[in-house]
Amino acid sequence: MPTIREVAAHAGVSPATVSRVMKGEVPVSADTRARVEVAISAMGYAPNAFARSLASNRLEGVGLVISHLAGPFMGRVMMTLEATLRRANVSLLVASGGGEAAREQEAVNFLLGRRCDGLIVHADALSDETLTALATTTPLVVFNRRVPDIDAHCISLDNEYGGYLATRHLLDQGHQSIACLTGPLRQQDAAERLAGYQRALHERGIPVDEQAIIEGDFTEQGGEQGMMTLLAREMAVTAVVAGNDDMALGAMTILRARGVAVPRAMSLVGYDNEACARHVVPALTTVHAPLEEMAQAAAERLLKLIAGASLPASTPFMPTLIERETVGPWRT
Amino acid sequence: MPTIREVAAHAGVSPATVSRVMKGEVPVSADTRARVEVAISAMGYAPNAFARSLASNRLEGVGLVISHLAGPFMGRVMMTLEATLRRANVSLLVASGGGEAAREQEAVNFLLGRRCDGLIVHADALSDETLTALATTTPLVVFNRRVPDIDAHCISLDNEYGGYLATRHLLDQGHQSIACLTGPLRQQDAAERLAGYQRALHERGIPVDEQAIIEGDFTEQGGEQGMMTLLAREMAVTAVVAGNDDMALGAMTILRARGVAVPRAMSLVGYDNEACARHVVPALTTVHAPLEEMAQAAAERLLKLIAGASLPASTPFMPTLIERETVGPWRT
DNA sequence: GGCGTCCATGAAACCGGTTTCATGATGGCG
DNA sequence: CGCCATCATGAAACCGGTTTCATGGACGCC
């Protein structure tokens, strides 16, 4: 693999000139440029990324910190991130932190030690303060979360609206008594979805019954537990909005076991539009997040941030309702 | 951020000595080492990864080439890969190539240009020859595929055995006429699964009926197509082994639409044990691949290869059968 | 006690780019 | 025609480690 000095010798110019040609910015006369370009392609020259990074102190790569790599949509997100970044010739380094704050912090440090040009963080466990501090140090985009003081760094989903959408859909079908199986309420997304649920009820003048709100943990077991608790309370509930699809799936398992027909006796709405949602029987009505667009926006925003731009806050992305088979009309 | 020379000055030694202490191998007297270590921690010294890579010509990072990042199990695989590599302080660079040979080759080049210490390749489109050549150039592990000339570089699944397992299970339940909805047979895994199916039939002296073998493409639509074709042939088939879970799901959709009860009128076995498999109704009986163990083995093997070890061929991993509800007994 | 060997250490070259600064050529303008 | 501004270019320093090679001291052995 030839070095820049060999190329320079071959083209009869200095290494500095070759470097200038490679970057294409600084003024170089047309014929010198041509001569160098010929030498470059003749010798198959590709600059050494290390030397370049050392001299310029930039990696030309960004880090991705992820809580749950194995989560149901990380694949879709990463796919788009990677494609968008690679188009800009920026590589993607991945570190995961299994949802524990300490390990997530460690992942951040690991990537920072690699002198990433920027970071995309998709993590629950890191605190708002940590992220705010990080944003002052390094180009940062926070994925699927809003951190108040650094709006411009956040790519988020309007979870409140999603919760509202799901609930309103049930109300529109005539349901009056609707329960909510939430995720862990210390997590922002779970709390927001619940808020949307409450807003929809208020809007129709239906009082929120605390007994109908059950906090879970976004897992399938949590959904089962929650549904069992709900049934045990023997309320007149005719529909449930679940914190996410996993919980909805768990709930469906219990309903099936107890012989409660979905959607005839009980309607159900999920959230996330996982791959499974389409396949269950009956197919799950759910709220869809435009993950690909969000991922692309995240990558583009980070690239701009790295380039030194100062951006306005991004508007949250809007979820949409996917109607399938788990919601039916209710006539009192 | 202090440099090695500052640390050296602080400890009253030369940069070379600090470097030696950092690596911990070369002989350094105990008290010098102690003095340097004090200086290091006092100043919070962390070596610059670029400079280190430039001088040693090693990235301390490996590349991962993936066909389909969004595939159903890449999350599980990446999770384990990343964790294993990070334990060795090696970072993970990701590039994807959407299943097209050209883009996969480009992804390889991209990572090679980053001077990765090694590559993990999980790709269908790259040819055996390309991979064999690559293996001579750079430490390489091929995931979920066997390339004849570089056995020692492959972490594979015994797909033939998986196909055999699925088929034998159906035979054990009394089925005599079993169809096979395969993946694209130019793909190794699909062909092997089919071979396993055939072996199981031969073992019981049942002739293989070419009419009962339908080539698909590992997609859900392919499964639907295949099942429609099969039904149109009006054969006396009582069970189907599908190339993967997606195809099985597609097949189930058609069966449900046509009112064919699973498993009473038709048994079905999938392959891969995707998340969905557990949730469909009836829950899908399928073949499970130990992906986490495979991923860990891949990472460990690559690290050894990078360290210069020359390894024996790895034995293929064995899939297991997960019995759920889509297989029932058949009495003639 | 003298010589040879080994070992810890330091000086300096090196990895391969980028960037600053100096220089020489060119051209515009009075 | 001469002077100054402009611009392309090259020389060399620099980024921050690693590694080779030389050196000096300690120790063992005859």
Side-chain angles (χ1 to χ4, degrees):
Chain A
M1 180 125 307
T3 71
I4 199 171
R5 287 171 229 269
E6 292 169 320
V7 175
H10 192 278
V13 298
S14 74
T17 302
V18 177
S19 172
R20 289 191 260 260
V21 170
M22 289 299 296
K23 296 197 306 181
E25 306 163 0
V26 211
V28 178
S29 75
D31 68 330
T32 308
R33 156 160 292 134
R35 209 143 32 89
V36 172
E37 279 168 352
V38 167
I40 287 176
S41 61
M43 308 180 71
Y45 169 70
N48 179 313
F50 302 150
R52 191 195 284 244
S53 295
L54 176 60
S56 61
N57 201 34
R58 293 186 344 198
L59 170 65
E60 309 218 312
V62 306
L64 175 63
V65 180
I66 283 192
S67 292
H68 301 284
L69 258 176
F73 25 70
M74 280 327 300
R76 282 166 62 198
V77 172
M78 283 193 55
M79 184 107 193
T80 310
L81 281 181
E82 193 272 340
T84 310
L85 291 173
R86 191 136 66 91
R87 234 173 282 134
N89 217 33
V90 168
S91 53
L92 184 65
L93 278 78
V94 178
S96 164
E100 299 160 41
R103 289 198 49 220
E104 286 181 8
Q105 183 62 54
E106 190 191 298
V108 169
N109 292 341
F110 179 81
L111 292 171
L112 248 27
R114 287 282 194 274
R115 304 288 199 286
C116 284
D117 299 328
L119 247 39
I120 297 178
V121 175
H122 181 14
D124 317 319
L126 257 24
S127 72
D128 280 8
E129 291 72 35
T130 308
L131 292 174
T132 309
L134 197 57
T136 65
T137 314
T138 195
L140 173 74
V141 167
V142 180
F143 191 80
N144 196 28
R145 168 168 171 181
R146 264 187 323 92
V147 180
D149 294 341
I150 49 170
D151 266 341
H153 299 259
C154 298
I155 298 293
S156 63
L157 181 68
D158 194 333
N159 279 301
E160 198 271 350
Y161 182 69
Y164 171 80
L165 263 185
T167 312
R168 200 188 57 185
H169 178 58
L170 291 168
L171 291 166
D172 285 346
Q173 297 293 316
H175 294 272
Q176 299 278 334
S177 179
I178 304 173
C180 189
L181 255 44
T182 77
L185 292 175
R186 55 163 194 80
Q187 250 174 260
Q188 194 185 51
D189 46 3
E192 289 175 351
R193 291 171 194 186
L194 175 60
Y197 158 85
Q198 292 168 326
R199 176 161 69 93
L201 293 183
H202 283 139
E203 205 176 84
R204 302 285 169 102
I206 297 176
V208 173
D209 179 355
E210 289 300 329
Q211 288 292 303
I213 297 174
I214 296 175
E215 183 173 350
D217 58 1
F218 276 155
T219 69
E220 203 181 328
Q221 291 75 33
E224 296 179 5
Q225 287 282 333
M227 184 50 88
M228 288 179 349
T229 309
L230 187 66
L231 292 177
R233 290 190 184 159
E234 301 194 340
M235 303 166 67
V237 165
T238 63
V240 171
V241 355
N244 68 358
D245 285 352
D246 286 343
M247 293 191 71
L249 258 26
M252 279 177 75
T253 305
I254 296 299
L255 291 173
R256 193 179 321 118
R258 304 284 173 91
V260 180
V262 175
R264 214 167 40 70
M266 181 80 84
S267 287
L268 189 61
V269 184
Y271 203 115
D272 280 345
N273 192 23
E274 285 177 28
C276 284
R278 240 175 56 238
H279 290 117
V280 256
V281 181
L284 185 63
T285 291
T286 188
V287 174
H288 172 80
L291 287 179
E292 281 81 4
E293 288 103 276
M294 288 172 68
Q296 184 168 344
E300 285 169 356
R301 183 161 280 250
L302 184 60
L303 290 174
K304 285 189 195 139
L305 244 28
I306 290 173
S310 145
L311 270 38
S314 85
T315 56
F317 283 74
M318 288 299 168
T320 52
L321 188 78
I322 309 278
E323 295 186 39
R324 295 209 180 90
E325 304 161 4
T326 52
V327 172
W330 190 264
R331 284 166 305 274
T332 39
Chain B
M1 182 123 308
T3 72
I4 200 172
R5 286 170 230 269
E6 291 170 321
V7 175
H10 192 279
V13 299
S14 75
T17 302
V18 178
S19 172
R20 289 192 259 260
V21 170
M22 288 301 295
K23 297 197 306 181
E25 308 161 359
V26 212
V28 178
S29 74
D31 68 330
T32 308
R33 155 159 290 133
R35 209 142 34 88
V36 171
E37 279 168 351
V38 167
I40 287 176
S41 60
M43 308 179 71
Y45 169 70
N48 180 313
F50 301 149
R52 190 194 284 241
S53 295
L54 176 59
S56 60
N57 201 34
R58 293 185 344 193
L59 171 65
E60 308 220 313
V62 307
L64 175 64
V65 180
I66 283 192
S67 292
H68 302 285
L69 257 175
F73 25 70
M74 280 326 299
R76 282 165 62 198
V77 172
M78 283 193 56
M79 184 106 192
T80 310
L81 281 180
E82 192 272 338
T84 310
L85 292 172
R86 192 136 66 90
R87 234 172 281 134
N89 218 30
V90 167
S91 53
L92 184 65
L93 278 78
V94 178
S96 164
E100 298 159 42
R103 289 196 50 219
E104 287 180 7
Q105 182 63 56
E106 189 190 300
V108 170
N109 292 341
F110 179 81
L111 292 171
L112 248 28
R114 287 282 192 276
R115 304 287 198 286
C116 285
D117 299 328
L119 246 39
I120 297 178
V121 175
H122 182 15
D124 318 319
L126 259 21
S127 72
D128 281 8
E129 292 72 36
T130 309
L131 292 173
T132 308
L134 197 56
T136 64
T137 313
T138 194
L140 174 74
V141 167
V142 180
F143 191 80
N144 196 28
R145 168 168 171 180
R146 261 187 324 92
V147 180
D149 294 340
I150 49 170
D151 266 343
H153 299 260
C154 299
I155 297 294
S156 63
L157 180 69
D158 193 333
N159 279 301
E160 198 271 351
Y161 182 68
Y164 172 79
L165 262 186
T167 313
R168 199 188 55 184
H169 178 59
L170 291 168
L171 291 166
D172 285 345
Q173 297 293 315
H175 294 272
Q176 299 278 334
S177 180
I178 303 173
C180 189
L181 254 43
T182 76
L185 292 175
R186 55 163 194 79
Q187 250 173 260
Q188 195 184 49
D189 46 2
E192 288 175 351
R193 290 171 196 188
L194 174 61
Y197 158 86
Q198 292 168 327
R199 176 161 67 93
L201 292 183
H202 282 139
E203 204 176 85
R204 302 284 170 103
I206 297 176
V208 173
D209 179 355
E210 290 298 330
Q211 288 292 303
I213 297 175
I214 296 175
E215 182 174 350
D217 59 359
F218 276 155
T219 68
E220 203 181 326
Q221 291 75 33
E224 296 179 5
Q225 287 283 332
M227 184 49 88
M228 289 185 337
T229 309
L230 187 66
L231 292 178
R233 289 191 184 160
E234 301 194 337
M235 301 167 67
V237 165
T238 64
V240 171
V241 356
N244 68 357
D245 286 352
D246 286 342
M247 294 191 71
L249 258 26
M252 279 177 76
T253 306
I254 297 300
L255 291 173
R256 193 179 320 117
R258 304 284 173 91
V260 180
V262 175
R264 213 168 37 73
M266 182 79 84
S267 287
L268 190 60
V269 184
Y271 202 114
D272 280 346
N273 193 23
E274 285 179 28
C276 285
R278 239 176 56 239
H279 291 117
V280 266
V281 182
L284 186 64
T285 291
T286 189
V287 174
H288 173 80
L291 287 178
E292 281 82 3
E293 288 103 277
M294 288 172 67
Q296 184 169 344
E300 284 168 358
R301 182 160 280 249
L302 184 60
L303 290 174
K304 284 188 197 140
L305 244 27
I306 290 172
S310 145
L311 270 38
S314 84
T315 56
F317 282 74
M318 287 300 169
T320 52
L321 188 77
I322 309 279
E323 294 187 39
R324 295 211 179 89
E325 304 162 3
T326 52
V327 172
W330 191 264
R331 285 167 305 274
T332 39

